[in-house]
Amino acid sequence: MLVFSKCGHPWDPPDRIRTDLSAGSIRLECEGSLRRLGVERIDLYQFHHADPRTPVEASWGMMAELVEEAKVRWAGVSNFDVELLDRCEAIRHVDCLQPELSLLRRDVLSDVIPWCDAHGTGVIAYSPKATGVLSGAYDAARLEELPADDWRRASSARILALVERLRQIASRTGVTPGAIAVAWALSNDGVSGVICGARSPEQVDGWIESADVHLDPETLAEIGSLAGDWEPGD
């Protein structure tokens, strides 16, 4: 068993979550997680987001200390750009990056993931199904029920058209549209793994076979062309 956790968004009761990557807060969160989990070491410990109020050198320096103290095995970050990654790498190797990656959000493929590939940094991408819309579970009625300011509702027509194309590709492979979306994310060079959320066993059944789906170059090109340069909210 491997234990992964994050820091940088401490919770102030009753309901305030803030961003804090100060050295003291990182150590406090780490030691609290170790105590609550009942373990001596966290295998992968990551920052949630950058903290604009704290120099990243101070934050990453504390992460390096936790590794040296054997409280953390591998140290990583989430949602960092290349500049921040370079600044961290100058202090200690970045073991892992967690960026958002899906057919609808591919900007990290141009710079961040190639940086990781070149530096031997693992990549565990999140939201490969684009907050669920690429799973095929959303129909027009469900999208219309979302809040007016939700990008998924604003882009409902384009989402439905895209998912229909994914459904056609999925039918040739014998899997779901969500499995195709996840398999596409996994197929990108430099991606080590992806994070797929689920609220029920049935949702897991929809993507669990993704790692075993083989997408030939022609199918990958077809999938990659579906969204074009579309951005959520267009």
Side-chain angles (χ1 to χ4, degrees):
M1 180 184 71
L2 296 176
V3 176
F4 294 4
S5 191
K6 287 185 175 180
C7 63
H9 285 334
W11 174 58
D12 294 331
D15 59 3
R16 178 174 177 255
I17 296 176
R18 55 190 168 84
T19 298
D20 188 349
L21 282 179
S22 62
S25 182
I26 292 170
R27 178 174 289 281
L28 189 65
E29 285 192 74
C30 179
E31 293 177 350
S33 292
L34 291 170
R35 182 178 65 255
R36 290 188 296 271
L37 292 168
V39 297
E40 295 182 355
R41 181 174 63 182
I42 296 170
D43 292 294
L44 175 61
Y45 203 42
Q46 294 177 290
F47 295 161
H48 272 288
H49 293 90
D51 178 2
R53 298 177 303 172
T54 304
V56 73
E57 288 79 6
S59 305
W60 196 243
M62 173 51 68
M63 188 70 92
E65 287 186 25
L66 294 173
V67 173
E68 291 171 1
E69 295 169 11
K71 293 179 178 179
V72 170
R73 175 182 288 181
W74 298 303
V77 298
S78 306
N79 305 296
F80 272 32
D81 59 21
V82 168
E83 178 191 358
L84 287 174
L85 289 167
D86 278 333
R87 290 166 64 183
C88 290
E89 190 74 10
I91 297 170
R92 184 203 176 272
H93 178 53
V94 180
D95 294 312
C96 187
L97 169 72
Q98 186 175 309
E100 182 175 1
L101 173 64
S102 74
L103 280 167
L104 303 186
R105 294 194 182 275
R106 294 184 270 185
D107 54 302
V108 292
L109 292 173
S110 65
D111 55 0
V112 173
I113 291 181
W115 185 98
C116 292
D117 200 22
H119 288 80
T121 295
V123 174
I124 304 176
Y126 70 90
S127 199
K129 294 186 270 86
T131 63
V133 297
L134 299 182
S135 67
Y138 283 79
D139 57 17
R142 186 176 178 188
L143 289 168
E144 284 300 315
E145 292 174 352
L146 296 172
D149 60 350
D150 191 303
W151 68 269
R152 294 171 293 182
R153 178 174 175 177
S155 306
S156 59
R158 298 196 68 180
I159 287 170
L160 292 172
L162 172 60
V163 171
E164 180 56 32
R165 294 285 304 280
L166 274 180
R167 201 182 304 278
Q168 294 169 12
I169 296 170
S171 68
R172 305 198 306 253
T173 316
V175 296
T176 65
I180 292 295
V182 174
W184 174 86
L186 284 168
S187 73
N188 287 281
D189 290 340
V191 174
S192 313
V194 296
I195 298 171
C196 298
R199 292 193 176 98
S200 68
E202 292 75 21
Q203 290 181 352
V204 174
D205 290 339
W207 52 255
I208 194 64
E209 68 266 29
S210 303
D212 297 322
V213 173
H214 172 69
L215 300 174
D216 57 48
E218 292 78 13
T219 303
L220 284 172
E222 182 183 1
I223 296 169
S225 69
L226 294 182
D229 58 358
W230 185 78
E231 289 291 335
D234 284 359

